[in-house]
Amino acid sequence: MFIKNRQNWHISENDVTPERLYLNRRSFIGGGAGAAILGASGFAPGVLATPKRQLEELNFTKTAFDPDETLTPYDAVTSYNNYYEFGTGKSDPAEHAWRLQPKPWSVKVEGHVARPGIYDFEDLINMNALEERIYRLRCVEAWSMVIPWIGVPLSSLIKMFEPTSDAKYVAFETLEDKQQMPGVKSFFNVLDWPYREGLRMDEAMNDLAFIAVGLYGKELPNQNGAPLRLVVPWKYGFKSIKSIVRLNFVADQPKTSWKKSAPDEYGFYSNVNPNVDHPRWSQKQERRIGEFGRRETLMFNGYEEEVTHLYAGMNLRKSF
Ligand SMILES: Nc1nc2c(c(=O)[nH]1)N[C@H]1C(S)=C(S)[C@@H](COP(=O)(O)O)O[C@H]1N2
Ligand SMILES: [Mo]
């Protein structure tokens, strides 16, 4: 029961210019009558009563996961986002995600595991074992960022739950809450909720797959998926599901939100692949946010060495 409105939400984001990013929409909203004016998303702007969450500093160790590229500025990382639960515009999450309440938080773990249950955030994440990993993130819309994430390997979490040999895939879900998420309440839904993602078990156990709880040395801002989100740097950004509330260890390939909304455009694997175009645009190049011009997109987003073996013998045009 959702309306597909592809024209509006996907056309030109791959052509957004860096300058436009820094134009704050609010600066165009005349003072005074703010309450009567709706943003591009159609939600009332959260300008007047936006309680900014205090983001705590995190202790972490640095790692060798570092592409040695210029970091995308913090302002861009936290103001140019995709988080459709807060609206489909790139500035909607920064504007509306203050409604999200990431504390307290728990995650339901179920399926083929020896230790199912409801885990509090504090029991899932060992805050004394946090590491920093600098990863490229390549959005399917042909832009990319380089972000210093703080978190733990996904494999360390998965091992806690002791999956059985029947667990072939892990399915992830985001919180679905109309009170906190204006995009979920919206009539113009492009996805059905909750937002769903999944990985094959060997992908999930690969050392690159990461659970982030922070970036740039501090806790995750809400718009980036507080309090915990996935980061899968060799796949298109939409695999990196935010604000996770459920992990389900399953035998069959799980349904995922984007594939369900447009199966001809978004596959289960969604590995970054410059040789397989999206039906409506090329994936050969990308715009690094903050830079002018374009870069060549690299196979597996530059993580070929780490992940090529996962897809040996697979036809990546078919399994896109
Ligand atoms: N729950 C949820 N997770 C999500 C999304 C979303 O809309 N909802 N968008 C995805 C997409 S398309 C991208 S590119 C990344 C963006 O992450 P960032 O905003 O932290 O850069 O988040 C992904 N995770
Ligand atoms: Mo994306």
Side-chain angles (χ1 to χ4, degrees), residues 23-197:
L23 293 179
N24 186 334
R25 206 167 70 217
R26 284 175 212 158
S27 59
F28 296 107
I29 298 176
I37 300 167
L38 298 178
S41 61
F43 310 142
V47 189
L48 299 176
T50 305
K52 278 270 178 273
R53 192 161 68 88
Q54 191 66 39
L55 300 174
E56 283 175 32
E57 306 257 345
L58 301 172
N59 291 315
F60 58 90
T61 55
K62 292 201 176 280
T63 62
F65 293 91
D66 183 351
D68 201 21
E69 292 171 1
T70 307
L71 299 181
T72 305
Y74 184 82
D75 281 353
V77 172
T78 59
S79 68
Y80 188 78
N81 302 100
N82 271 334
Y83 198 164
Y84 276 39
E85 288 86 334
F86 294 99
T88 56
K90 295 290 177 273
S91 56
D92 284 332
E95 191 169 325
H96 299 288
W98 60 271
R99 290 177 185 277
L100 179 71
Q101 289 162 25
K103 290 176 188 180
W105 194 267
S106 59
V107 177
K108 188 173 188 186
V109 177
E110 56 196 319
H112 298 292
V113 289
R115 301 181 174 280
I118 295 173
Y119 291 79
D120 288 339
F121 177 89
E122 290 72 21
D123 298 326
L124 280 178
I125 306 292
N126 179 354
M127 298 300 275
N128 297 315
L130 298 180
E131 46 185 89
E132 180 185 71
R133 295 181 174 199
I134 300 172
Y135 281 161
R136 301 180 201 92
L137 193 67
R138 166 57 159 83
C139 181
V140 73
E141 296 163 304
W143 47 266
S144 61
M145 299 195 189
V146 180
I147 302 175
W149 301 104
I150 315 281
V152 298
L154 174 61
S155 63
S156 70
L157 245 70
I158 290 180
K159 284 175 193 157
M160 284 173 48
F161 314 133
E162 298 177 18
T164 70
S165 58
D166 291 330
K168 305 295 186 207
Y169 295 87
V170 53
F172 302 83
E173 282 178 22
T174 296
L175 176 73
E176 176 187 6
D177 185 331
K178 288 193 167 84
Q179 301 305 315
Q180 299 177 54
M181 298 168 145
V184 171
K185 193 163 57 186
S186 168
F187 180 71
F188 301 101
N189 277 332
V190 293
L191 299 173
D192 65 337
W193 316 110
Y195 193 100
R196 291 191 181 86
E197 260 310 331

